[in-house]
């Protein structure tokens, strides 16, 4: 049985952030991953670190992780940008929420923008080419710029970080190794048994297989999202994430504000299908010019594997309308050329959106059970390491 200071189970972004935080503290780390490389939620998302959209504990974790994301990108040589994010508003009610959010954030994190400024930011004057008709950006009347948000490319960030950590002398990355049981510093796997002073379990929605009682107690279920990779007739010239009206109903920095109710009523009257599919219509431009578009939310104990075409159609219709795309080409879908579709699944618990628990004196579970793991993973990892026994948290 081989021993290390720390074993991390799972090489999604939560596991990798914890592995990096441990290695930074001079600890020897072994990462055990069932797949051949990260294939879970961490590569299927928008790559949007939605820092401004958080409140309370999540805001603290998001801010604490911001510099770590940027440092990790330098170390592992993956794309990460201090791009900020834009919220595209199509009604005065949405602008009112953005104004309230700006007040709540002390004016420092959010800039309000008019329609012209918004169009120029997204297209650098190519608005007419994007929309294909006039110089308007769809139905956008203005919006906001969220200064602190970051972007990474989800398809490359976690795999690059895994490779980089795996190449470090103090870290051993073992892939194709399924963990079967964890307890008191001993980890039984499909290829043998390992031991560590401490084990951190970061298996995302795979938590119930290892700790069924904890998962059941937290009411842990799966949230399945419909996603698409698309191109537009003229590429967006921003790498920032673009959020829309349904995003104001999802991120707590907006959804908890007094004006959010009016936005919900507007969407219910104007586009009830968006609410039916649990939409958060947003865009994540990638470095190659393609755009990740999503998402819907479908909650179940075990996610239904079948993607409803009508669900993605609702998302694309909203996205195309916001950007002012013309669905004229017979080969296009609401003005987009669709290149890929996929389903993403993340862990979800209404009762415990963050499950961080010492299940025994040498085992900690770290599960982000809401859709912001990319945003808070690095801040969470720093906090977890800081709470371990002093011998396991030598100065970074
Ligand atoms: C479509 C979609 C869009 C999203 N958009 C965003 C966004 O824009 N911003 C944001 O902040 N968050 C977003 N999220 C949420 C975010 O992606 C997740 O919260 C985060 O990736 C969770 O990371 P994780 O490491 O816990 O899980 P995962 O990435 O799923 O990794 C868990 C890993 O554990 C491994 N594993 C599981 N069980 C075992 C075992 N028994 N033995 C060994 N290995 C095991 C798995 O193989 C997997 O590699 C989105 C999620 C989805 C699905």
């Amino acid at each position: 049985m081989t021993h290390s200071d720390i074993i991390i189970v799972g090489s999604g972004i939560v596991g990798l952030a914890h592995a990096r935080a441990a290695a930074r503290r001079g600890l020897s780390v072994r990462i055990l991953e069932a797949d051949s490389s990260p294939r879970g939620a961490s590569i299927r998302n928008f790559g949007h670190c939605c820092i401004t959209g958080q409140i309370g504990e999540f805001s603290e974790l998001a801010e604490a992780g911001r510099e770590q994301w940027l440092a990790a990108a330098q170390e592992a040589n993956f794309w990460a940008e201090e791009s900020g994010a834009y919220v595209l508003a199509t009604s005065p009610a949405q602008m009112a929420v953005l104004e309230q959010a700006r007040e709540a954030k002390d004016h420092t994190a959010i800039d309000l923008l008019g329609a012209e400024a918004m169009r120029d930011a997204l297209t650098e004057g190519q608005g007419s080419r994007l929309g294909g008709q006039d110089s308007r950006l769809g139905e956008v009347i203005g919006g906001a710029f969220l200064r602190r948000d970051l972007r990474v490319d989800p398809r490359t960030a976690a795999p690059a970080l895994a490779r980089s950590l795996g190449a470090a002398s103090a870290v051993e990355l073992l892939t194709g190794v399924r963990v079967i049981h964890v307890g008191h510093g001993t980890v039984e796997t499909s290829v043998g048994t390992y031991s560590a002073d401490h084990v951190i379990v970061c298996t995302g929605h795979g938590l119930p297989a290892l700790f069924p009682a904890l998962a059941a107690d937290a009411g842990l279920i799966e949230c399945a999202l419909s996603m698409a990779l698309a191109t537009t007739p003229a590429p967006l010239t921003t790498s920032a994430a673009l959020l829309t009206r349904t995003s104001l109903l999802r991120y707590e920095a907006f959804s908890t504000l007094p004006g959010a109710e009016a936005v919900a009523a507007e969407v219910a009257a104007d586009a009830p299908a968006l609410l039916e599919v649990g939409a958060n219509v947003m865009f994540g431009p990638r470095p190659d010019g393609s755009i990740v578009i999503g998402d819907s939310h479908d909650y179940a104990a075990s996610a239904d594997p079948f993607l409803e075409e009508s669900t993605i159609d609702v998302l694309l219709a909203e996205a195309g309308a916001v950007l002012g795309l013309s669905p004229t080409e017979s080969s296009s879908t609401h003005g987009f050329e669709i290149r890929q579709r996929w389903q993403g699944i993340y862990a979800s618990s209404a009762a415990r959106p963050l499950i961080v628990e010492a299940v025994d004196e040498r085992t900690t579970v770290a599960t982000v059970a809401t859709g912001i793991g990319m945003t808070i993973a690095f801040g969470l990892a720093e906090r977890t390491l800081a709470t371990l026994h002093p011998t396991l948290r030598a100065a970074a």
Side-chain angles (χ1 to χ4, degrees):
M1 183 158 69
T2 48
H3 189 86
S4 56
D5 292 331
I6 299 274
I7 285 177
I8 306 285
V9 185
S11 73
I13 200 63
V14 175
L16 294 172
H18 280 80
R20 179 176 171 276
R24 269 172 22 90
R25 286 162 172 80
L27 300 171
S28 62
V29 182
R30 177 169 287 125
I31 307 170
L32 304 175
E33 166 57 51
D35 280 336
S36 55
S37 67
R39 307 313 274 165
S42 301
I43 66 160
R44 301 180 189 208
N45 59 59
F46 293 97
H48 173 216
C49 302
C50 185
I51 294 165
T52 319
Q54 311 307 321
I55 59 173
E57 179 188 13
F58 290 155
S59 176
E60 284 163 23
L61 291 173
E63 282 290 349
R66 190 177 188 279
E67 296 313 312
Q68 300 302 328
W69 252 124
L70 294 171
Q74 289 271 326
E75 293 156 16
N77 196 24
F78 61 83
W79 178 75
E81 199 168 311
E82 295 181 85
S83 59
Y86 291 97
V87 187
L88 286 67
T90 54
S91 79
Q94 295 161 44
M95 283 305 297
V97 171
L98 295 173
E99 282 159 25
Q100 290 168 11
R102 184 166 187 268
E103 292 294 318
K105 294 264 177 192
D106 284 339
H107 298 199
T108 51
I110 300 179
D111 297 335
L112 297 178
L113 302 174
E116 289 287 299
M118 183 62 84
R119 188 199 66 211
D120 290 349
L122 269 50
T123 63
E124 280 175 11
Q126 298 185 52
S128 55
R129 285 185 55 208
L130 184 68
Q133 32 188 302
D134 54 34
S135 62
R136 291 176 64 230
L137 186 62
E139 296 153 3
V140 172
I141 63 162
F145 180 58
L146 315 181
R147 290 188 162 278
R148 302 283 296 161
D149 289 20
L150 303 177
R151 279 297 315 293
V152 299
D153 179 16
R155 304 203 176 186
T156 53
L161 184 53
R163 275 195 305 276
S164 159
L165 286 169
S169 56
V171 181
E172 187 183 21
L173 169 65
L174 297 179
T175 57
V177 175
R178 180 160 292 280
V179 171
I180 297 157
H181 184 264
V182 180
H184 307 282
T186 301
V187 179
E188 291 167 29
T189 80
S190 49
V191 299
T193 302
Y194 298 90
S195 73
D197 289 352
H198 205 90
V199 182
I200 306 177
V201 177
C202 308
T203 49
H205 67 276
L207 179 67
L210 290 176
F211 293 100
L214 173 60
D217 187 53
L220 193 84
I221 57 173
E222 295 183 349
C223 177
L225 299 81
S226 293
M227 304 290 286
L229 185 74
T231 52
T232 46
L236 294 173
T237 54
T238 180
S239 53
L242 311 182
L243 314 184
T244 67
R245 56 183 171 172
T246 44
S247 311
L248 299 177
L249 307 178
R250 185 151 288 269
Y251 298 111
E252 289 193 325
F254 309 113
S255 66
T256 56
L257 295 170
E261 221 170 279
V263 175
E266 233 175 43
V267 178
D270 184 40
L274 287 171
L275 299 182
E276 282 157 25
V277 301
N280 169 17
V281 176
M282 56 179 283
F283 312 78
R286 296 181 63 233
D288 68 358
S290 62
I291 310 172
V292 177
I293 302 178
D295 55 23
S296 55
H297 295 81
D298 187 17
Y299 299 89
S302 300
D304 190 339
F306 306 110
L307 293 177
E308 289 294 341
E309 198 61 21
S310 58
T311 299
I312 198 75
D313 193 65
V314 167
L315 304 178
L316 292 173
E318 172 79 351
V322 172
L323 290 184
L325 300 183
S326 318
T328 48
E329 302 273 332
S330 60
S331 60
S332 79
T333 308
H334 298 287
F336 295 102
E337 296 295 328
I338 306 299
R339 288 168 42 181
Q340 294 176 344
R341 299 172 196 270
W342 67 97
Q343 181 186 58
I345 298 175
Y346 63 70
S348 176
S349 165
R352 289 186 68 183
L354 195 51
I355 304 170
V356 179
E357 184 151 320
V359 288
D360 64 47
E361 78 292 352
R362 288 169 69 181
T363 309
T364 301
V365 162
T367 302
V368 179
T370 184
I372 57 168
M374 297 293 276
T375 306
I376 66 170
F378 284 89
L380 178 63
E382 292 299 315
R383 193 176 79 178
T384 309
L385 266 291
T387 58
L388 293 184
H389 188 274
T391 56
L392 282 174
R393 52 181 164 88

